[in-house]
Amino acid sequence: MKAARKTWLVRGGIVAVVIAVAFVLWQVLKPSELPVGIASGNGRLEAVELDVSAKSPGRIRDILVDEGAFVKAGQVLARMDTDVLNAQKAEAQAQLAQAQTAIQTAESQVAQRQSERAAALAAVRQRQAELNAARKRLTRSETLAREGATAVQERDDDQAQVEGASAAVEAAKAQLAAVDAAIGTARSQVIGARSNVDAASATIQRIEADIRDSDLRAPTDGRVQYRVAQPGEVVAGGGRVLNLVNLGDVTMTFFLPETVAGKVALGSDVRIVLDAAPDYVIPAKVSFVADVAQFTPKTVETESERQKLMFRVKARIDRRLLERNITQVKTGLPGMAYVRVDPKTEWPAKLAVIVTR
């Protein structure tokens, strides 16, 4: 009896193994449920991640959002301490006022030098007139001296007056040149003072821009994924404070063999079915097909080996659909992507239910 029972147990085990092997072979060898013009690959939902970072080094004063919060583009998410920037702005404003006063001073110097030039020019004209008169007297005295009508001493006196008047003209011209140089210097001071005003104004604008940038804003609509830093911490320039995920740019990356990937065109229709929601079919479009294989065998000799060449494909979900279901969007969810490589192929019934709400 015991031997017979043992025999039946052995036979039962063998039958179970045969059934299991047959089931596995049936799963492997059973015909595909997908039409010929549709291919599939598994993947995960991915979204573009963005870091909200401090432009300049400083201390975080406050963080206004928590992890998981939905934010809008331009919304203030955190604020940096601006005490140092405010002090720098006050300093720059004082420098601006000083430079503006320097402009007024330099312009008054230019006006004063121009008045001095007018006086120096009048002096030159006066000395030139005196020289002309002295030359005329010398001409008359030389004529009279030759005729013996006047003393030679008078002629010598007139000659001395001409030389003195000529020297006075040269001195007046030198004074005029000095005044012209002083005017040039004063005008240079005006230009320098105006440059200082421009520099101070630019410094104020830069500091004001830094103050505005101390309000860390969301670059796009999305959800806060991580708070990388906390209020009170000091971060370097470019230091991360928050990490956002852009839920308006969601894709699924999957892989297809070379024989299929070569037929996939940009814009091809895709249907995505997530493991977490198998009853919903999400429409998408092919947005990227790799032009090189992502992984290959060591040797490629047979057709079966060539089919191991796998190409990365990316499908993007429509932004409007994502916006309508923004609170339900989760990245990292696994699922299947079905690609229609032949536009004439009809979608099977199980892939016809499309999420539209």
Side-chain angles (χ1 to χ4, degrees), residues 38-50:
I38 296 177
S40 65
N42 56 2
R44 290 180 180 273
L45 289 185
E46 300 174 352
V48 175
E49 293 187 12
L50 302 169

Side-chain angles (χ1 to χ4, degrees), residues 95-261:
Q95 293 174 349
L96 175 61
Q98 184 178 2
Q100 290 172 338
T101 301
I103 288 179
Q104 298 175 355
T105 301
E107 287 177 343
S108 65
Q109 290 290 332
V110 171
Q112 182 179 351
R113 297 294 180 264
Q114 287 175 340
S115 299
E116 292 175 355
R117 186 182 189 280
L121 182 60
V124 169
R125 291 173 179 172
Q126 181 180 357
R127 298 295 181 265
Q128 189 66 51
E130 292 174 354
L131 175 59
N132 292 337
R135 284 173 176 172
K136 289 179 181 179
R137 286 196 298 271
L138 176 60
T139 300
R140 287 194 298 270
S141 63
E142 285 178 343
T143 300
L144 293 175
R146 282 195 300 269
E147 295 175 353
T150 184
V152 176
Q153 182 64 43
E154 183 177 349
R155 184 201 61 185
D156 293 341
D157 292 341
D158 290 341
Q159 179 68 40
Q161 288 180 358
V162 168
E163 292 176 358
S166 178
V169 168
E170 294 300 325
K173 288 182 178 179
Q175 181 64 30
L176 179 60
V179 173
D180 286 338
I183 291 175
T185 300
R187 285 175 175 168
S188 297
Q189 292 174 348
V190 172
I191 294 173
R194 287 176 178 169
S195 298
N196 291 337
V197 167
D198 293 339
S201 298
T203 300
I204 292 174
Q205 292 177 359
R206 174 182 59 79
I207 294 173
E208 288 177 343
D210 289 340
I211 291 175
R212 289 193 298 271
D213 288 338
S214 66
D215 288 342
L216 307 185
R217 300 177 182 272
T220 184
D221 294 352
R223 184 173 62 216
V224 178
Q225 191 164 224
Y226 304 112
R227 287 178 60 160
V228 183
Q230 299 300 327
E233 292 186 20
V234 176
V235 295
R240 297 192 305 161
V241 178
L242 296 166
N243 176 267
L244 301 182
V245 57
N246 181 7
L247 297 181
D249 188 2
V250 178
T251 59
M252 174 175 277
T253 299
F254 54 98
F255 293 87
L256 294 176
E258 181 271 339
T259 54
V260 177

Side-chain angles (χ1 to χ4, degrees), residues 7-23:
T7 301
W8 279 108
L9 289 175
V10 171
R11 290 178 179 178
I14 294 173
V15 171
V17 170
V18 171
I19 293 174
V21 171
F23 177 79

